[in-house]
Amino acid sequence: MTAAPPTNFGGTTPAGARSSDGLSSNDPARLIGFSGALSANLLNMIGIGPFITIPLALAAMGGPQALLGWLLGALLCLCDGFVWAELGATLPRSGGPFHYLREAFGSAKLGRLFGFLYLWQTLLIGPMSIASGTVGFAHYATFLWPSLNGWSLAALAVGLCLLNTVLLYRDVGSIQRLSVAISIIVIGACLWIIASGVPSFSAARALDFPPGAFTLSHGFLMGLGAATLIGVYDYGGYNNVCMLGGEVREPRKLIPRAILVSIPLVALLYIGLNLAILGVLPWQQAMKSQAVVADFMSAIYGPIGGITVAILILIASWGSALVMLLGYSRVPYAAAAEGEFFAPFAKLHPKGGFPAVSLLFMGIASAIASVVSLENLIAVLIVVQILFQYTAQCFAVVALRRQKRADAGSVFRMPLYPLPIVVTLIGWLFIVGTSRPIHIVAAFGMMALGAIVFLALARRESRWPFDPRLAVAA
């Protein structure tokens, strides 16, 4: 018996007919080219993260051996990038993972649960991800305005979220131009920071490992896991273009290219930043710094150097929060367009052609999340995404290949399949296994609550797994 089309949650009108590559006449216009796709990833990746987490990674491993965390994180993200690249090329639609999980595991049955849980996760994690950028912005601003503290810091983070919402309330073409311009500024700043450290670089200082730095022990593995988690957080954003898949020109070519170019590029920048700083500042000093890059530039150029780089870092963190809001705002829209979320979220702005209601929701929710601690935001973000989304997507690639969703000759295929998937799964399990129990419990709790909400809605609407037609078919 053929399953009937799903009923529309909230009365949403079903999405328009889709072509073989998953595209619909109801999708926003495809205005994003390669430069826009790459900058959407780069701005998400090069935000406030590395500028505030270098001391955290040093503290986690107790010395410059923390570079192992950055290297391991880069390798893991590259393998995961192959997963995202293949998924994004196979189903190039806005809201990416929502479609990957639904289609891979059956849009009428188990895939409905996976799609809903991804949406549930995004409604919680999306605002927290955006808020991590604005909270980091506020904390770094204390280098310029030391009087900022308490509620004034929170007010600055909240205000930035609301400002970004206003800036994104327009057509995506103008945002693409803005993101490209900011990307140039951000990469230029990183290169300036690295170049500034070259004349004063000391290899002995940069590689001043403490005794027993590489002794394989429980403490070493826990520290490496924490440093790798930090690295993964800082590299995070190489998948942002997948959220905008329905707005990318030639998506089957440009989505994989944007992902696989952005990861090694940012890895080189981050490792260069680490080496430059450690070659000038002793790691014992860098580990305790609240604004390590500004302190580093102050040591080279004096106060004017610290102030200048602090301003550039604030621009980077603002731009990162901006494009994260842009990407995450497309997920509720994509779900609503499929009849899986409240109908108003599927509406596009009559002039700009962007999901206005979804954007406003994410903008306001991220402003509220900006009062949460940055350290807890980072840890919970990564663990939740690993336990459900990232691991599930590894299996989704296998499922979609078996379904032969598209002609293999026209869609990107990861090299050395399935080795990148195996490496990715091992890496994710290592990070979770070395995480704090409270963060693991919180992640499982969030997903369990989401499953309960899904089942309650399904039972109320007599949908899978409570559809009586399924029992008749059996």
Side-chain angles (χ1 to χ4, degrees):
M1 179 177 179
T2 303
T7 56
N8 295 320
F9 181 67
T12 305
T13 301
R18 296 189 178 275
S19 62
S20 60
D21 60 0
L23 308 183
S24 168
S25 58
N26 289 352
D27 286 334
R30 292 187 174 274
L31 302 176
I32 301 177
F34 176 69
S35 60
L38 182 62
S39 63
N41 282 359
L42 292 178
L43 269 182
N44 204 333
M45 298 172 78
I46 313 174
I48 193 66
F51 304 116
I52 61 174
T53 57
I54 288 175
L56 297 179
L58 290 170
M61 295 206 71
Q65 64 271 27
L67 285 168
L68 284 175
W70 295 95
L71 291 170
L72 191 58
L75 174 62
L76 175 55
C77 289
L78 183 60
C79 290
D80 189 53
F82 285 122
V83 173
W84 281 93
E86 182 161 330
L87 290 171
T90 303
L91 295 171
R93 295 157 64 179
S94 293
F98 173 77
H99 300 290
Y100 309 156
L101 298 175
R102 275 173 53 87
E103 298 300 322
F105 299 106
S107 59
K109 295 185 178 181
L110 187 60
R112 293 179 56 80
L113 172 61
F114 277 76
F116 181 87
L117 286 179
Y118 171 71
L119 175 61
W120 175 263
Q121 168 194 285
T122 302
L123 295 179
L124 298 171
I125 295 304
M128 294 174 71
S129 298
I130 299 163
S132 69
T134 59
V135 171
F137 176 98
H139 279 284
Y140 223 91
T142 59
F143 183 85
L144 301 177
W145 299 285
S147 60
L148 288 173
N149 58 72
W151 284 108
S152 61
L153 282 174
L156 179 58
V158 169
L160 187 61
C161 286
L162 298 178
L163 172 63
N164 283 346
T165 304
V166 172
L167 291 174
L168 289 174
Y169 203 82
R170 65 191 68 202
D171 70 274
V172 74
S174 61
I175 300 303
Q176 177 181 203
R177 293 187 292 272
L178 177 63
S179 66
V180 170
I182 298 174
S183 294
I184 294 172
I185 295 174
V186 169
I187 294 175
C190 289
L191 294 175
W192 176 48
I193 294 167
I194 294 171
S196 297
V198 172
S200 304
F201 180 80
S202 168
R205 187 182 297 117
L207 304 177
D208 180 24
F209 300 110
F214 298 100
T215 301
L216 192 60
S217 63
H218 179 265
F220 174 83
L221 292 176
M222 294 297 290
L224 181 59
T228 304
L229 183 148
I230 291 169
V232 168
Y233 167 75
D234 289 335
Y235 290 123
Y238 53 86
N239 51 16
N240 196 46
V241 67
C242 293
M243 307 296 185
L244 310 169
E247 299 170 68
V248 177
R249 296 196 302 266
E250 299 183 88
R252 289 183 163 170
K253 178 175 68 176
L254 296 188
I255 288 177
R257 186 180 300 174
I259 293 171
L260 300 177
V261 169
S262 62
I263 296 171
L265 179 60
V266 172
L268 288 173
L269 286 175
Y270 284 178
I271 293 171
L273 281 173
N274 274 270
L275 287 173
I277 291 170
L278 293 174
V280 174
L281 297 179
W283 66 265
Q284 296 89 341
Q285 177 185 345
M287 182 176 67
K288 299 177 181 178
S289 175
Q290 297 298 313
V292 67
V293 178
D295 289 341
F296 162 76
M297 295 298 275
S298 295
I300 297 174
Y301 297 109
I304 189 65
I307 292 172
T308 302
V309 80
I311 292 173
L312 292 174
I313 289 171
L314 291 178
I315 293 174
S317 61
W318 163 66
S320 177
L322 184 77
V323 296
M324 277 195 287
L325 177 56
L326 173 66
Y328 277 113
S329 68
R330 269 52 181 176
V331 177
Y333 156 77
E338 294 290 328
E340 298 297 328
F341 201 52
F342 295 106
F345 284 82
K347 294 181 179 178
L348 297 175
H349 191 275
K351 294 183 178 179
F354 59 90
V357 175
S358 185
L359 172 63
L360 290 173
F361 172 84
M362 277 294 176
I364 295 172
S366 64
I368 296 172
S370 293
V371 299
V372 179
S373 159
L374 180 63
E375 185 177 357
N376 285 323
L377 278 173
I378 293 174
V380 174
L381 281 172
I382 299 301
V383 174
V384 169
Q385 289 176 313
I386 287 174
L387 282 176
F388 173 69
Q389 180 191 343
Y390 294 167
T391 53
Q393 286 183 176
C394 290
F395 295 105
V397 171
V398 178
L400 288 174
R401 279 202 177 198
R402 290 180 175 177
Q403 294 173 20
K404 298 181 180 179
R405 293 300 305 268
D407 177 20
S410 64
V411 176
F412 172 85
R413 291 290 189 244
M414 71 177 70
L416 302 178
Y417 174 87
L419 182 60
I421 294 176
V422 174
V423 173
T424 300
L425 286 172
I426 292 173
W428 291 147
L429 292 175
F430 173 67
I431 290 177
V432 172
T434 54
S435 298
R436 293 175 57 188
I438 185 64
H439 296 145
I440 299 175
V441 171
F444 275 111
M446 291 170 64
M447 290 301 101
L449 181 59
I452 292 172
V453 172
F454 170 82
L455 292 173
L457 291 173
R459 184 177 182 85
R460 187 184 70 182
E461 300 180 7
S462 296
R463 302 167 76 174
W464 183 88
F466 301 104
D467 189 343
R469 290 170 293 185
L470 297 177
V472 173

